[in-house]
Amino acid sequence: MAKFYITTPIYYVNDAPHIGHAYTTVTADAIARWHRLLGDQVLFLTGTDEHGLKVARAAERQGMDPKSWADKTSKRFLEAWELLSISNDDFIRTTEPRHYATVQRFLQAVYDNGYITKGTWTGLYCVDCEDYYTEAQLVEGNCPVHARPVEVVEEENYFFKLSLFTEQLLDWYDHHPQAVLPSSKANEAISFIRQGLQDISITRTSFKWGVPVPWDNEHVFYVWYDALINYVTAISYGVDQDNFNQWWPAVHHLIGKEILRFHCVWWPAMCMAAGIAPPGHVFVHGWLLVGGEKMAKSKLNQITPAELVEQFGVDAVRYHLLRDTPLGSDGDFSYEAMLSRYNADLANNLGNLLSRVTAVVTSKCGGVGPSPNPDSELASVTDQVLEQALGAWDNFAPYEALDVTWKLIKETNAYLEANEPWRMEPSDSLDKVMGDALEALRIVALLIFPAMPSTSVTLWRRIGLEGSPANARLPESARWGGYPGGLPIQRSEPLFPRIK
Ligand code: MSP
């Protein structure tokens, strides 16, 4: 059985989850669900990043200790993911003992391999990014991401000798041209490496909220150095080598573009320094903007998943997130776009198709669904759609997979309009048309499962099928001819009532 390991970034607990976080998590979820349908053994990991100055300060502002604050906020992420039907197999928190142990084991290996030294560091630091900047990178003296002042920091720290990895990293990119996608993002990483890498300070003594350095208890690790290691904590690095080897290095990291350098420069170098292979695949996506800006607490432009779910329902929110922001580019969220997508694709195309089919089968076929015609013109459309959907999911392009799936829905609606079964008398010809439409709906239910799991199950049941699409095996189950016929069909409430 093929293995498929997919991860999201772990989210900072300084803040509550918003739809930007949901965009990454829903995307990873849909891809994980697709791979389960293919019969792969999937490990889907998400979690929370709980150390560092940013979290410590957020806790302080609330008058709480960092751990209690992290407990509270981490729970909000768990709740949001539950609300959005996220099917993660593991949820990692960086304050867990398993993670402390792994961070210490991993970085001790890097230290023992001679890639960590002591030194003094002075620099400019943005706490919101938990990242350093050079004078030249600042925009009008402020952090280029948060447009807020940076802090001058001077400390005696341990340094990771990142500069030693320049050639090795470039060589690795040469031999792994598909490792970072889209390739424009790989080029960004490569050009960053070519500019020359500097050693990085990876420990702190000025605060205690972090994983203690095993060889020097005065220090805790810098939050990014602990966070990246979560990806190997979850697969028992250093504890169970067989388990580790099953998932690594064939991992798929899904990340937002602002954390490219950490994942595509630092993390591969850290892996090399610890003596393991760099991550096999990193997929970099753009931002979901609101009014042209990245969501941020300070800008008061955050939209929570719960607000949207309340208005539109879970599956519609998932659909919109997946359908309207092609992975790789930035997307702008607006209620208007969400509403028109809902009414056009869900209420009209999909909802109407099911209503029409169930209405005709109830009134003209005695409520029993006929079987499909093996030579239907919809069969070739379906084959084509299936091939395209397989390719799109494989390329981390959910929007494209859904776009072609909607092509099948539209073609089926057009097929009904051309044949007008609602004007036909009960007959073999009518049965053929309705059997074809039911078969198309069965295949649609399978293809939308990763994006809209609960709608998929509802659709499945409404056309009389038992069990769940989750148990089907793709691509075989989605080939034309699987609808058995003779199943009871009932008219029922619209799947997606129109919203004004
Ligand atoms: N904790 C670090 C990641 C450590 S991974 C080892 C972090 N956390 S974060 O909470 O600030 O953001 C994590 C991710 O959330 C981003 O990389 C991105 O995937 C997602 N997003 C946060 N805001 C987003 C948008 N506005 N739009 C799209 N994705 C966004 O960085």
Side-chain angles (χ1 to χ4, degrees):
M1 192 188 274
K3 306 267 180 195
F4 186 78
Y5 180 25
I6 184 162
T7 68
T8 71
I10 47 173
Y11 303 105
Y12 285 130
V13 292
N14 65 309
D15 206 359
H18 56 61
I19 57 169
H21 305 122
Y23 172 59
T24 310
T25 313
V26 167
T27 303
D29 182 67
I31 294 170
R33 286 175 181 272
W34 178 259
H35 278 267
R36 292 195 195 102
L37 285 180
L38 293 177
D40 292 352
Q41 190 186 345
V42 171
L43 175 59
F44 168 24
L45 175 71
T46 186
T48 42
D49 191 354
E50 308 187 359
H51 293 122
L53 205 48
K54 172 149 115 163
V55 171
R57 286 190 183 165
E60 207 176 289
R61 279 196 294 274
Q62 304 298 321
M64 290 174 83
D65 66 278
K67 179 61 168 55
S68 310
W69 168 257
D71 289 346
K72 190 174 156 185
T73 316
S74 179
K75 201 158 152 250
R76 295 179 72 175
F77 278 90
L78 270 174
E79 287 163 1
W81 303 155
E82 202 171 316
L83 177 71
L84 286 169
S85 308
I86 303 300
S87 65
N88 53 301
D89 301 290
D90 194 354
F91 185 92
I92 189 162
R93 298 185 54 191
T94 54
T95 47
E96 288 175 64
R98 62 169 170 163
H99 185 62
Y100 271 57
T102 310
V103 170
Q104 294 184 330
R105 204 177 296 121
F106 189 102
L107 288 166
Q108 183 73 52
V110 177
Y111 185 70
D112 293 344
N113 290 341
Y115 294 115
I116 293 179
T117 49
K118 214 167 186 180
T120 302
W121 185 83
T122 314
L124 305 169
Y125 195 72
C126 168
V127 178
D128 285 315
C129 296
E130 295 279 15
D131 195 7
Y132 309 96
Y133 289 100
T134 60
E135 204 63 66
Q137 288 170 317
L138 303 184
V139 177
E140 294 172 2
N142 288 327
C143 159
V145 177
H146 294 92
R148 290 208 275 183
V150 290
E151 300 177 22
V152 179
V153 179
E154 183 176 334
E155 268 188 47
E156 187 178 59
N157 299 149
Y158 286 95
F159 281 73
F160 172 54
K161 295 184 184 172
L162 180 65
S163 57
L164 295 182
F165 290 90
T166 308
E167 287 313 314
Q168 225 174 305
L169 283 170
L170 289 174
D171 189 57
W172 184 76
Y173 271 102
D174 249 6
H175 288 93
H176 299 85
Q178 299 291 310
V180 173
L181 291 172
S183 46
S184 58
K185 296 295 175 190
N187 291 337
E188 219 176 293
I190 293 168
S191 81
F192 182 80
I193 299 165
R194 286 215 178 104
Q195 283 166 28
L197 297 174
Q198 298 191 345
D199 297 345
I200 317 165
S201 135
I202 60 163
T203 68
R204 295 285 181 277
T205 50
S206 52
F207 61 89
K208 291 277 162 232
W209 185 232
V211 180
V213 172
W215 61 88
D216 185 344
N217 274 332
E218 290 298 302
H219 292 248
V220 293
F221 285 113
Y222 164 43
V223 60
W224 266 104
Y225 261 67
D226 121 36
L228 288 161
I229 295 170
N230 91 86
Y231 301 128
V232 296
T233 298
I235 50 169
S236 29
Y237 164 87
V239 176
D240 178 348
Q241 192 64 31
D242 286 344
N243 185 44
F244 180 79
N245 291 340
Q246 284 182 30
W247 304 106
W248 199 267
V251 63
H252 298 78
H253 293 318
L254 184 64
I255 62 162
K257 65 180 182 181
E258 78 286 11
I259 54 177
L260 172 105
R261 192 156 33 99
F262 300 107
H263 284 82
C264 302
V265 182
W266 292 18
W267 180 222
M270 282 167 71
C271 290
M272 290 169 179
I276 64 170
H281 312 272
V282 181
F283 202 99
V284 187
H285 67 70
W287 286 339
L288 188 60
L289 307 171
V290 172
E293 292 199 72
K294 188 164 188 270
M295 271 166 279
K297 202 174 188 178
S298 53
K299 292 183 195 147
L300 299 174
N301 63 351
Q302 294 180 330
I303 299 173
T304 67
E307 284 170 64
L308 289 185
V309 167
E310 197 179 317
Q311 288 181 53
F312 295 97
V314 178
D315 278 12
V317 174
R318 290 176 58 105
Y319 177 73
H320 183 58
L321 289 175
L322 294 167
R323 177 67 186 79
D324 280 317
T325 303
L327 227 56
S329 20
D330 287 347
D332 211 354
F333 178 86
S334 76
Y335 281 96
E336 294 70 26
M338 161 110 224
L339 186 65
S340 70
R341 186 56 85 180
Y342 175 97
N343 281 330
D345 288 14
L346 304 182
N348 285 357
N349 286 321
L350 178 58
N352 257 350
L353 177 60
L354 181 68
S355 300
R356 280 166 149 180
V357 172
T358 52
V360 176
V361 174
T362 315
S363 63
K364 305 205 174 201
C365 308
V368 178
S371 50
N373 168 13
D375 308 316
S376 167
E377 60 188 76
L378 285 179
S380 59
V381 178
T382 306
D383 285 349
Q384 233 180 42
V385 164
L386 178 60
E387 284 319 306
Q388 289 172 339
L390 282 163
W393 283 109
D394 205 37
N395 288 333
F396 277 47
Y399 74 97
E400 212 177 289
L402 293 172
D403 191 44
V404 296
T405 304
W406 255 256
K407 185 173 152 201
L408 175 59
I409 295 171
K410 287 175 196 162
E411 293 276 344
T412 310
N413 268 322
Y415 178 72
L416 292 180
E417 272 146 30
N419 286 287
E420 300 190 307
W422 39 86
R423 289 184 195 274
M424 291 164 86
E425 293 303 320
S427 60
D428 283 355
S429 328
L430 173 70
D431 283 355
K432 270 190 185 161
V433 174
M434 297 323 293
D436 289 352
L438 284 162
E439 171 61 341
L441 277 171
R442 184 190 70 88
I443 293 166
V444 166
L446 290 171
L447 297 181
I448 64 170
F449 180 77
M452 309 172 78
S454 119
T455 305
S456 160
V457 173
T458 307
L459 192 53
W460 194 256
R461 303 264 160 82
R462 291 219 188 145
I463 59 173
L465 291 163
E466 286 184 352
S468 160
N471 302 325
R473 276 298 150 263
L474 259 46
E476 303 76 20
S477 308
R479 303 230 186 266
W480 188 262
Y483 187 73
L487 304 179
I489 306 285
Q490 276 173 10
R491 267 190 103 147
S492 41
E493 296 298 299
L495 266 186
F496 295 98
R498 272 189 80 83
I499 301 180
K500 290 233 162 55

